[in-house]
Amino acid sequence: MAKDTRGLYQETVPGVASWMLCSVAMMVLNKKAIGHFPYECTLTALQMLFSVAVLLCCFRYIYIGSMADFFRWCLVTPFFSGMLLTSMLALKHSSMTLVVVFRCLSPLFAMPIEWFYPKPLRISMAMLGAMLCMLLGACLYASQLPWDSLQGAWWVFLNMLLAIGDRLLKEQHPVNISRAGVALINNVMGFMVVAAVAVLEGEVPVGPRHLVELNQESMAYVLLSCLVSVGISYTGVWAQSLISATSFLMLVNANKFIIIFIEAFWQQLVINRLQLLGAVLAVGSSVAYGHSRQRLEQAEVKEAQLCREAAPILGKPRGYDGKFP
């Protein structure tokens, strides 16, 4: 037992660490790439094709249990591709800090949907307080922004709704597919969705031609974003298979502090003290929400275990009226 626990720990640490690294790098490089190559559909499709090419080189690790598993997972791919595309659009029109601050509000959108679960989400006072602080922090940050800077906020909200749908479908449709297989299906089927949007947006004749004309610096950002997209496709599935959804949420929030630090101090984004206070309050409250939710879920597991242990070994006989021992 101790050996199994040690083995799981040895896999969890590199899995989670590699996802955190790829997640931060993905956002920073996407921000740079979309700035140099402003064709979001073409850029997203290029990243997907690059991921497919790399994954096909590792075909030995691709396993799909059945066609039923394949078609069941295909329900997730429109949400996956929509998340990538709306994330790119949000970064195109807004700063990374705005994106991460507004993403903190995702529990406010997920909570009404989770009420309709077979086992509805329980809300503690600590979780409610954390959500109110998230909203306050986001409002403080947004209050100091010019109106045109909030254009990307609508894409952030749409991205959150797609992320909620993606998570709900994954929870309701478990499949017998390897991690590499999931990443391959996501990128192959997602490419078809993004390619269709590119045709509708008129990017097909313009985007590839502009790509060939990029200078060395711009091409480097595009290629690096494609390389990291392979890592995020695999490590995202890997990390989520090792830890709970709530723990994964806490890791996402921890990454947001890194993004704010990078943009405020390294890339020297103009941000005043009230905005910085709002951003830190929103992200910190999001971390507190995840911690409170995790404690509540652990308490529910212990409560269910105690109920099972307290249950009588023998049930009451049929017709028992309590008049005989």
Side-chain angles (χ1 to χ4, degrees):
M1 185 67 180
K3 185 178 180 180
D4 293 341
T5 304
R6 186 166 56 252
L8 180 61
Y9 176 78
Q10 290 173 350
E11 184 181 8
T12 301
V13 172
V16 169
S18 59
W19 174 83
M20 292 183 71
L21 178 62
C22 287
S23 178
V24 173
M26 189 82 256
M27 177 165 281
V28 174
L29 289 171
N30 275 348
K31 179 64 176 176
K32 289 289 188 180
I34 197 64
H36 288 265
F37 182 68
Y39 297 94
E40 57 278 352
C41 295
T42 306
L43 180 57
T44 305
L46 191 64
Q47 291 175 349
M48 288 179 164
L49 282 178
F50 194 87
S51 297
V52 170
V54 173
L55 288 167
L56 288 177
C57 295
C58 308
F59 64 92
R60 291 183 301 171
Y61 301 101
I62 297 172
Y63 171 79
I64 300 174
S66 65
M67 289 301 296
D69 289 320
F70 170 77
F71 287 117
R72 195 177 297 120
W73 193 259
C74 284
L75 296 174
V76 179
T77 54
F79 291 89
F80 172 79
S81 55
M83 285 168 55
L84 296 184
L85 193 53
T86 53
S87 177
M88 198 73 74
L89 284 163
L91 290 171
K92 181 179 180 179
H93 297 289
S94 303
S95 66
M96 293 189 294
T97 303
L98 184 143
V99 172
V100 299
V101 168
F102 276 66
R103 277 181 180 171
C104 292
L105 302 177
S106 58
L108 298 175
F109 290 84
M111 186 174 62
I113 299 174
E114 291 178 330
W115 279 341
F116 294 97
Y117 273 24
K119 186 180 179 182
L121 174 69
R122 289 173 57 185
I123 304 293
S124 66
M125 290 302 296
M127 290 168 61
L128 186 61
M131 286 189 286
L132 290 175
C133 289
M134 288 179 215
L135 185 59
L136 176 61
C139 290
L140 284 175
Y141 178 80
S143 67
Q144 301 297 305
L145 292 173
W147 178 252
D148 57 347
S149 299
L150 295 173
Q151 184 180 358
W154 309 112
W155 292 115
V156 177
F157 290 135
L158 180 57
N159 179 266
M160 286 191 293
L161 293 175
L162 290 168
I164 292 168
D166 176 83
R167 180 166 59 86
L168 294 180
L169 284 173
K170 286 177 180 177
E171 291 176 354
Q172 300 300 320
H173 297 86
V175 292
N176 182 26
I177 303 177
S178 66
R179 291 191 284 261
V182 166
L184 181 64
I185 294 171
N186 281 343
N187 285 283
V188 171
M189 304 306 293
F191 171 79
M192 297 180 184
V193 176
V194 174
V197 177
V199 172
L200 293 175
E201 291 293 318
E203 283 192 23
V204 174
V206 181
R209 184 169 64 247
H210 187 74
L211 179 65
V212 177
E213 298 172 353
L214 291 177
N215 59 35
Q216 291 183 352
E217 181 185 2
S218 300
M219 184 62 75
Y221 282 123
V222 171
L223 291 178
L224 284 172
S225 72
C226 291
L227 183 62
V228 177
S229 69
V230 180
I232 199 71
S233 296
Y234 182 81
T235 58
V237 179
W238 186 15
Q240 290 183 66
S241 69
L242 296 171
I243 58 178
S244 68
T246 304
S247 298
F248 189 76
L249 174 65
M250 294 178 69
L251 289 175
V252 171
N253 293 327
N255 269 7
K256 292 174 183 176
F257 280 114
I258 302 174
I259 294 295
I260 293 172
F261 177 83
I262 289 174
E263 197 162 46
F265 299 100
W266 181 35
Q267 298 186 351
Q268 297 181 346
L269 175 72
V270 178
I271 180 171
N272 61 39
R273 293 181 180 179
L274 188 59
Q275 283 181 300
L276 185 59
L277 174 63
V280 172
L281 177 61
V283 177
S285 299
S286 188
V287 174
Y289 170 86
H291 181 66
S292 299
R293 178 164 177 169
Q294 188 174 45
R295 288 176 57 188
L296 186 61
E297 289 175 352
Q298 290 173 349
E300 288 179 348
V301 170
K302 290 181 180 179
E303 183 180 343
Q305 185 178 1
L306 289 174
C307 288
R308 286 194 300 268
E309 292 175 354
I313 298 176
L314 297 175
K316 296 179 181 179
R318 183 176 297 177
Y320 173 67
D321 57 3
K323 294 183 179 180
F324 59 89

